[in-house]
Structures are given as C-alpha cells and as structure tokens.
Amino acid sequence: MNCLKHVLVMFLFYAATPSFAFGDPLCWLRTKSPQDQEIQGPIALNDEWQSFKLTKPFRAAPSLQYVQLLLSRSEYDFVELTDSRKHPESWNRWVPRHIHTGEILLFDVAVHNNKVGWIDLEYTFTGSPTLNDQVVAAIGFSANSEKKPRFYPSGSVNDEMRIRASHPVNLRAIWWAAPSYWKWPCRTWSEIPQSEILVP
C-alpha cells in the first residue's frame, strides 16, 4: 500500500509540472520515444534511388533522431575499411560486408522535411539491435553535420524518404528512432539551442 501511495504522489508531482515534453506527465518513465516507428520489410534496394512516400510521416521530437537500416546478421557483418583510396567516403568507418561475397555495402539516404526540404543524411553509427527476437545489423543515418547535433524543426514531419545501395539488398526493416531518448525523456523544445535546429 505504501508503494502504491508513493507512485501516486510521484504521478501527481510530475503531472503538475508543466515543463515536460509533449505535455506528457509520464515522460520520465519512458525509455523509447513516442515518435519511434518501423517500416516493415523486406525492402528491396539497388543502386537506383528508391522513393518512399510515408503514409505515416516521421514526426520530429526534441531528440536526435535517426533513420536506421536493418540487415540480416546471417548475411552481413561489419568491417572497418582502412583503404581510403578505394573507399574515401567511408574512411575509418565500420560498414556492412556480405559474409559470402565479401562485397562492401554502402548507402545514400535522404529525407524530405515539410519545413526544411530535402536533407541528405550522414552515415552516423552501426549497431546490433534485436528485431522480432533476432539480432540484426543496423546502420544509422542522421542530419548531424560534422558530429554536431542537428534537430528537425518543432512541429515538422519527414513525409518522404529515398535510399539507394551500392549493391542489391533486402532490408529487414527501416526504423525511425531516437536511440538516446532514454537519457533525456522529458526534454522540451525550449531546451534545444536555435543554432542546432535545421533551417531551410
């Protein structure tokens, strides 16, 4: 009973605090952004631009958000390229490599923001999250520039996306996510410096 009272008191305290993001009194309990979403695969890509009109647009939040391309771990591992003459665009980067053919897989990703226009995203990170209880290879792309944080404008959405790959590939899925959301679950737009918000 005492535990229940404690939870109730905490809920009333945060509900009365107006500074929390999206007017969400339970934001402090969340570990994933409410804006996260998934486009289920398989999604076939090749070296031609593939455009995706997003019937459920990617909504902006006061978090660093990424487009993540998910690959099968049974087909791809990660390799660090060290020959800058062959792959200058991926110098000192971990990139996916087909386990059987040895082919290095590179992507170009862009999103259309309704307030900014087309934005070419930069390769930002790799990871090994789980999808349907299976470990997958993830390649993340963001609007960050030269490792400086860049946020999409408040109230904006990304309503279209285009992707191409250096070799034919089937993605397991595409995620729109804020991996570091858990660090600042209640951050509001007023806390984001104007210099870090994308402009047309």
Side-chain angles (χ1 to χ4, degrees):
M1 181 63 71
N2 289 335
C3 181
L4 180 61
K5 288 181 179 179
H6 176 73
V7 171
L8 180 60
V9 169
M10 293 295 290
F11 172 81
L12 293 174
F13 171 77
Y14 285 106
T17 305
S19 62
F20 286 93
F22 315 116
D24 180 2
L26 296 180
C27 61
W28 57 286
L29 291 174
R30 300 187 188 281
T31 57
K32 294 181 62 178
S33 169
Q35 280 66 41
D36 287 3
Q37 67 184 78
E38 176 183 320
I39 300 175
Q40 296 181 348
I43 300 166
L45 299 176
N46 54 40
D47 59 359
E48 299 289 333
W49 285 107
Q50 305 289 322
S51 295
F52 303 86
K53 292 280 188 180
L54 302 176
T55 55
K56 184 181 178 183
F58 296 157
R59 293 172 53 204
S63 304
L64 293 177
Q65 295 170 294
Y66 301 82
V67 170
Q68 298 184 46
L69 310 182
L70 306 186
L71 301 167
S72 171
R73 252 315 195 172
S74 63
E75 297 181 58
Y76 291 90
D77 59 8
F78 291 119
V79 61
E80 185 176 14
L81 298 182
T82 57
D83 190 339
S84 61
R85 294 170 297 176
K86 291 184 179 180
H87 301 283
E89 72 283 14
S90 298
W91 170 242
N92 201 27
R93 296 290 185 87
W94 290 93
V95 293
R97 176 183 60 184
H98 197 283
I99 291 174
H100 304 296
T101 67
E103 290 178 336
I104 299 299
L105 188 59
L106 303 175
F107 295 95
D108 292 312
V109 181
V111 294
H112 181 268
N113 183 272
N114 67 332
K115 290 189 177 182
V116 180
W118 279 104
I119 304 165
D120 292 325
L121 303 187
E122 295 189 12
Y123 166 67
T124 307
F125 70 89
T126 56
S128 298
T130 57
L131 176 69
N132 300 327
D133 297 324
Q134 293 183 339
V135 176
V136 293
I139 307 95
F141 296 81
S142 75
N144 295 348
S145 176
E146 297 178 354
K147 298 184 179 180
K148 295 178 182 178
R150 291 290 185 270
F151 297 83
Y152 296 95
S154 174
S156 71
V157 297
N158 294 335
D159 51 23
E160 188 174 354
M161 175 174 54
R162 59 190 183 195
I163 310 173
R164 64 182 177 185
S166 57
H167 301 285
V169 61
N170 285 313
L171 300 181
R172 292 283 305 276
I174 297 174
W175 281 352
W176 170 248
S180 299
Y181 175 85
W182 60 273
K183 296 180 182 179
W184 307 280
C186 298
R187 183 162 52 185
T188 63
W189 288 105
S190 63
E191 299 175 66
I192 306 300
Q194 287 296 311
S195 62
E196 296 181 1
I197 296 178
L198 292 163
V199 295

